[in-house]
Short mmCIF file of all heavy atoms in Angstrom, two decimals:
data_model
loop_
_atom_site.label_atom_id
_atom_site.label_comp_id
_atom_site.label_asym_id
_atom_site.label_seq_id
_atom_site.Cartn_x
_atom_site.Cartn_y
_atom_site.Cartn_z
N TYR A 1 -17.11 14.67 9.22
CA TYR A 1 -17.36 14.17 10.63
C TYR A 1 -17.46 15.25 11.70
O TYR A 1 -18.28 15.09 12.64
CB TYR A 1 -16.02 13.32 11.00
CG TYR A 1 -15.95 11.93 10.50
CD1 TYR A 1 -14.80 11.46 10.03
CD2 TYR A 1 -17.13 11.17 10.47
CE1 TYR A 1 -14.74 10.05 9.65
CE2 TYR A 1 -17.09 9.78 10.01
CZ TYR A 1 -15.94 9.27 9.55
OH TYR A 1 -15.81 7.98 9.06
N MET A 2 -16.96 16.36 11.48
CA MET A 2 -17.04 17.52 12.36
C MET A 2 -18.51 18.05 12.22
O MET A 2 -19.22 18.31 13.24
CB MET A 2 -16.07 18.68 12.16
CG MET A 2 -14.61 18.22 12.32
SD MET A 2 -14.23 17.52 13.97
CE MET A 2 -14.24 15.72 13.67
N VAL A 3 -18.96 18.09 10.97
CA VAL A 3 -20.37 18.54 10.73
C VAL A 3 -21.32 17.58 11.36
O VAL A 3 -22.37 17.93 11.82
CB VAL A 3 -20.58 18.60 9.19
CG1 VAL A 3 -22.09 19.06 8.98
CG2 VAL A 3 -19.71 19.78 8.58
N ALA A 4 -20.97 16.21 11.29
CA ALA A 4 -21.82 15.23 11.86
C ALA A 4 -21.82 15.25 13.38
O ALA A 4 -22.60 14.44 14.03
CB ALA A 4 -21.41 13.93 11.41
N GLY A 5 -20.88 15.96 14.04
CA GLY A 5 -21.00 16.07 15.51
C GLY A 5 -20.11 15.11 16.24
O GLY A 5 -20.24 14.87 17.43
N PHE A 6 -19.11 14.49 15.61
CA PHE A 6 -18.22 13.52 16.22
C PHE A 6 -17.19 14.23 17.16
O PHE A 6 -16.45 13.62 17.97
CB PHE A 6 -17.59 12.54 15.31
CG PHE A 6 -18.46 11.53 14.86
CD1 PHE A 6 -19.07 11.65 13.64
CD2 PHE A 6 -18.72 10.40 15.57
CE1 PHE A 6 -19.86 10.65 13.20
CE2 PHE A 6 -19.49 9.46 15.17
CZ PHE A 6 -20.14 9.46 13.92
N ASP A 7 -17.06 15.57 16.94
CA ASP A 7 -16.24 16.42 17.85
C ASP A 7 -14.74 16.23 17.63
O ASP A 7 -14.01 17.20 17.41
CB ASP A 7 -16.56 16.31 19.29
CG ASP A 7 -16.06 17.41 20.17
OD1 ASP A 7 -16.48 18.48 20.00
OD2 ASP A 7 -15.11 17.18 20.96
N ARG A 8 -14.18 15.05 17.78
CA ARG A 8 -12.77 14.81 17.72
C ARG A 8 -12.54 13.45 16.99
O ARG A 8 -13.05 12.37 17.40
CB ARG A 8 -12.02 14.72 19.05
CG ARG A 8 -12.02 16.12 19.67
CD ARG A 8 -11.11 16.12 20.99
NE ARG A 8 -10.94 17.48 21.43
CZ ARG A 8 -10.04 17.91 22.28
NH1 ARG A 8 -9.19 17.00 22.79
NH2 ARG A 8 -9.95 19.10 22.68
N TYR A 9 -11.73 13.50 15.91
CA TYR A 9 -11.56 12.39 15.03
C TYR A 9 -10.11 12.27 14.78
O TYR A 9 -9.28 13.10 14.75
CB TYR A 9 -12.26 12.57 13.70
CG TYR A 9 -11.46 12.05 12.49
CD1 TYR A 9 -11.57 10.86 11.83
CD2 TYR A 9 -10.44 12.85 11.89
CE1 TYR A 9 -10.83 10.38 10.69
CE2 TYR A 9 -9.68 12.50 10.71
CZ TYR A 9 -9.86 11.23 10.18
OH TYR A 9 -9.17 10.79 9.15
N PHE A 10 -9.63 10.87 14.67
CA PHE A 10 -8.22 10.63 14.25
C PHE A 10 -8.23 9.30 13.49
O PHE A 10 -9.13 8.45 13.53
CB PHE A 10 -7.31 10.59 15.37
CG PHE A 10 -7.10 9.27 16.10
CD1 PHE A 10 -6.03 8.42 15.78
CD2 PHE A 10 -7.89 8.91 17.05
CE1 PHE A 10 -5.95 7.16 16.31
CE2 PHE A 10 -7.79 7.77 17.70
CZ PHE A 10 -6.76 6.81 17.32
N GLN A 11 -7.18 9.05 12.75
CA GLN A 11 -7.06 7.97 11.90
C GLN A 11 -5.55 7.84 11.47
O GLN A 11 -4.92 8.80 11.15
CB GLN A 11 -7.91 7.98 10.73
CG GLN A 11 -8.02 6.75 9.82
CD GLN A 11 -8.93 6.91 8.65
OE1 GLN A 11 -9.24 5.99 7.89
NE2 GLN A 11 -9.38 8.11 8.31
N ILE A 12 -4.96 6.55 11.54
CA ILE A 12 -3.78 6.32 10.92
C ILE A 12 -4.06 5.69 9.53
O ILE A 12 -4.55 4.57 9.45
CB ILE A 12 -2.90 5.41 11.72
CG1 ILE A 12 -2.53 5.98 13.07
CG2 ILE A 12 -1.53 5.00 11.00
CD1 ILE A 12 -1.81 5.10 13.99
N VAL A 13 -3.95 6.53 8.53
CA VAL A 13 -4.61 6.21 7.22
C VAL A 13 -3.74 6.09 6.08
O VAL A 13 -2.75 6.83 5.92
CB VAL A 13 -5.74 7.21 7.00
CG1 VAL A 13 -5.20 8.63 6.88
CG2 VAL A 13 -6.56 6.89 5.79
N LYS A 14 -4.00 5.21 5.15
CA LYS A 14 -3.31 5.17 3.85
C LYS A 14 -3.89 6.21 2.85
O LYS A 14 -5.04 6.36 2.81
CB LYS A 14 -3.53 3.77 3.17
CG LYS A 14 -2.58 2.72 3.73
CD LYS A 14 -1.25 2.75 3.21
CE LYS A 14 -0.37 1.65 3.72
NZ LYS A 14 1.06 1.83 3.39
N CYS A 15 -3.01 6.88 2.14
CA CYS A 15 -3.37 7.89 1.16
C CYS A 15 -2.60 7.49 -0.15
O CYS A 15 -1.66 6.79 -0.18
CB CYS A 15 -3.00 9.25 1.55
SG CYS A 15 -3.69 9.81 3.08
N PHE A 16 -3.13 8.01 -1.23
CA PHE A 16 -2.67 7.62 -2.61
C PHE A 16 -2.54 8.84 -3.53
O PHE A 16 -3.39 9.70 -3.59
CB PHE A 16 -3.72 6.63 -3.24
CG PHE A 16 -3.95 5.51 -2.39
CD1 PHE A 16 -5.08 5.53 -1.51
CD2 PHE A 16 -3.25 4.28 -2.38
CE1 PHE A 16 -5.46 4.56 -0.62
CE2 PHE A 16 -3.75 3.22 -1.53
CZ PHE A 16 -4.65 3.37 -0.61
N ARG A 17 -1.31 8.94 -4.15
CA ARG A 17 -1.08 10.00 -5.16
C ARG A 17 -0.24 9.46 -6.18
O ARG A 17 0.74 8.85 -6.00
CB ARG A 17 -0.29 11.17 -4.44
CG ARG A 17 -1.15 11.86 -3.44
CD ARG A 17 -0.42 13.07 -2.66
NE ARG A 17 -1.21 13.61 -1.68
CZ ARG A 17 -0.85 14.59 -0.85
NH1 ARG A 17 0.41 15.04 -0.97
NH2 ARG A 17 -1.67 15.00 0.11
N ASP A 18 -0.61 9.73 -7.49
CA ASP A 18 -0.14 9.20 -8.66
C ASP A 18 0.92 10.25 -9.16
O ASP A 18 0.72 10.93 -10.12
CB ASP A 18 -1.14 8.95 -9.65
CG ASP A 18 -0.56 8.27 -10.93
OD1 ASP A 18 0.67 7.84 -10.85
OD2 ASP A 18 -1.22 8.10 -12.05
N GLU A 19 2.02 10.46 -8.32
CA GLU A 19 3.01 11.47 -8.69
C GLU A 19 4.34 10.81 -9.07
O GLU A 19 4.60 9.72 -8.70
CB GLU A 19 3.17 12.41 -7.39
CG GLU A 19 1.88 13.14 -6.97
CD GLU A 19 2.15 13.98 -5.84
OE1 GLU A 19 2.89 13.71 -4.85
OE2 GLU A 19 1.65 15.17 -5.84
N ASP A 20 5.16 11.67 -9.66
CA ASP A 20 6.54 11.16 -9.89
C ASP A 20 7.16 10.99 -8.56
O ASP A 20 6.99 11.83 -7.64
CB ASP A 20 7.40 12.26 -10.75
CG ASP A 20 6.72 12.33 -12.13
OD1 ASP A 20 6.15 11.44 -12.61
OD2 ASP A 20 6.94 13.36 -12.70
N LEU A 21 7.99 9.98 -8.31
CA LEU A 21 8.53 9.56 -7.10
C LEU A 21 9.98 10.06 -6.91
O LEU A 21 10.67 10.26 -7.83
CB LEU A 21 8.41 8.02 -6.94
CG LEU A 21 7.09 7.47 -7.20
CD1 LEU A 21 7.12 5.97 -6.92
CD2 LEU A 21 6.03 8.03 -6.24
N ARG A 22 10.24 10.29 -5.62
CA ARG A 22 11.61 10.57 -5.21
C ARG A 22 11.96 9.86 -3.92
O ARG A 22 11.13 9.03 -3.42
CB ARG A 22 11.85 12.20 -5.12
CG ARG A 22 10.92 12.77 -4.12
CD ARG A 22 11.08 14.29 -4.07
NE ARG A 22 10.34 14.95 -2.96
CZ ARG A 22 9.61 16.01 -3.10
NH1 ARG A 22 9.56 16.65 -4.30
NH2 ARG A 22 8.99 16.58 -2.03
N GLY A 23 13.06 10.29 -3.34
CA GLY A 23 13.55 9.58 -2.08
C GLY A 23 12.47 9.54 -0.97
O GLY A 23 12.45 8.61 -0.19
N ASP A 24 11.72 10.71 -0.70
CA ASP A 24 10.80 10.73 0.33
C ASP A 24 9.40 10.70 -0.12
O ASP A 24 8.46 11.14 0.59
CB ASP A 24 11.07 12.00 1.22
CG ASP A 24 10.93 13.24 0.43
OD1 ASP A 24 10.68 13.17 -0.80
OD2 ASP A 24 10.76 14.32 1.04
N ARG A 25 9.09 10.09 -1.27
CA ARG A 25 7.71 9.92 -1.78
C ARG A 25 7.47 8.51 -2.16
O ARG A 25 8.26 7.82 -2.78
CB ARG A 25 7.43 10.83 -2.96
CG ARG A 25 7.15 12.23 -2.50
CD ARG A 25 6.70 13.15 -3.76
NE ARG A 25 6.51 14.51 -3.44
CZ ARG A 25 6.13 15.47 -4.27
NH1 ARG A 25 6.20 15.17 -5.62
NH2 ARG A 25 6.02 16.64 -3.96
N GLN A 26 6.21 8.08 -1.97
CA GLN A 26 5.68 6.77 -2.45
C GLN A 26 4.30 6.99 -2.98
O GLN A 26 3.56 8.00 -2.46
CB GLN A 26 5.73 5.80 -1.27
CG GLN A 26 7.09 5.20 -1.01
CD GLN A 26 7.44 4.12 -1.86
OE1 GLN A 26 6.84 3.07 -2.01
NE2 GLN A 26 8.48 4.37 -2.69
N PRO A 27 3.82 6.09 -3.88
CA PRO A 27 2.43 6.30 -4.33
C PRO A 27 1.36 6.01 -3.34
O PRO A 27 0.29 6.51 -3.47
CB PRO A 27 2.34 5.28 -5.51
CG PRO A 27 3.44 4.22 -5.16
CD PRO A 27 4.52 5.04 -4.55
N GLU A 28 1.67 5.16 -2.40
CA GLU A 28 0.87 4.98 -1.23
C GLU A 28 1.63 5.27 -0.07
O GLU A 28 2.69 4.75 0.13
CB GLU A 28 0.13 3.55 -1.19
CG GLU A 28 1.13 2.50 -1.39
CD GLU A 28 0.48 1.08 -1.44
OE1 GLU A 28 -0.49 0.95 -0.59
OE2 GLU A 28 0.86 0.23 -2.15
N PHE A 29 0.97 6.00 0.88
CA PHE A 29 1.77 6.48 2.06
C PHE A 29 0.80 6.57 3.26
O PHE A 29 -0.41 6.51 3.03
CB PHE A 29 2.40 7.80 1.77
CG PHE A 29 1.63 8.85 1.30
CD1 PHE A 29 1.00 9.76 2.23
CD2 PHE A 29 1.16 9.09 -0.01
CE1 PHE A 29 0.17 10.78 1.86
CE2 PHE A 29 0.31 10.04 -0.39
CZ PHE A 29 -0.21 10.94 0.46
N THR A 30 1.35 6.70 4.38
CA THR A 30 0.61 6.69 5.70
C THR A 30 0.63 8.05 6.38
O THR A 30 1.75 8.62 6.46
CB THR A 30 1.02 5.59 6.56
OG1 THR A 30 1.01 4.31 5.94
CG2 THR A 30 0.11 5.49 7.79
N GLN A 31 -0.53 8.56 6.82
CA GLN A 31 -0.44 9.75 7.65
C GLN A 31 -1.28 9.60 8.91
O GLN A 31 -2.31 8.83 8.99
CB GLN A 31 -0.91 10.96 6.82
CG GLN A 31 -2.33 10.98 6.34
CD GLN A 31 -2.63 12.19 5.49
OE1 GLN A 31 -1.74 12.65 4.64
NE2 GLN A 31 -3.81 12.79 5.61
N ILE A 32 -0.87 10.35 9.89
CA ILE A 32 -1.61 10.50 11.13
C ILE A 32 -2.59 11.65 10.98
O ILE A 32 -2.11 12.84 10.79
CB ILE A 32 -0.71 10.69 12.30
CG1 ILE A 32 0.33 9.58 12.52
CG2 ILE A 32 -1.57 10.86 13.69
CD1 ILE A 32 1.53 9.96 13.40
N ASP A 33 -3.89 11.36 10.84
CA ASP A 33 -4.83 12.40 10.53
C ASP A 33 -5.73 12.75 11.70
O ASP A 33 -6.19 11.88 12.38
CB ASP A 33 -5.62 11.89 9.32
CG ASP A 33 -6.33 13.03 8.55
OD1 ASP A 33 -5.67 13.95 8.11
OD2 ASP A 33 -7.50 12.92 8.34
N LEU A 34 -5.94 14.02 12.04
CA LEU A 34 -6.76 14.40 13.11
C LEU A 34 -7.60 15.64 12.83
O LEU A 34 -7.09 16.42 12.03
CB LEU A 34 -5.97 14.44 14.42
CG LEU A 34 -4.95 15.59 14.59
CD1 LEU A 34 -5.62 16.90 15.12
CD2 LEU A 34 -3.91 15.11 15.50
N GLU A 35 -8.73 15.76 13.44
CA GLU A 35 -9.64 16.93 13.27
C GLU A 35 -10.35 17.18 14.52
O GLU A 35 -10.78 16.22 15.22
CB GLU A 35 -10.53 16.76 12.11
CG GLU A 35 -11.23 18.07 11.59
CD GLU A 35 -10.41 18.80 10.67
OE1 GLU A 35 -9.26 18.34 10.32
OE2 GLU A 35 -10.70 19.95 10.22
#
């Protein structure tokens, strides 16, 4: 998106990781993402 010239981006986005889980991990989780 930066290469495309949008200058500033953000998203509240779902992400996915197939990892062993513990108290503060989930296979799908949400992050505030910005660039």
Side-chain angles (χ1 to χ4, degrees):
Y1 277 141
M2 299 304 100
V3 176
F6 283 100
D7 195 67
R8 292 188 170 197
Y9 139 96
F10 86 96
Q11 187 181 186
I12 299 176
V13 59
K14 281 284 187 187
C15 302
F16 308 87
R17 292 180 185 174
D18 187 11
E19 297 181 321
D20 294 335
L21 306 182
R22 60 181 188 224
D24 62 349
R25 280 187 178 173
Q26 282 279 296
E28 51 182 321
F29 56 95
T30 305
Q31 67 184 37
I32 305 166
D33 200 53
L34 64 89
E35 197 82 3

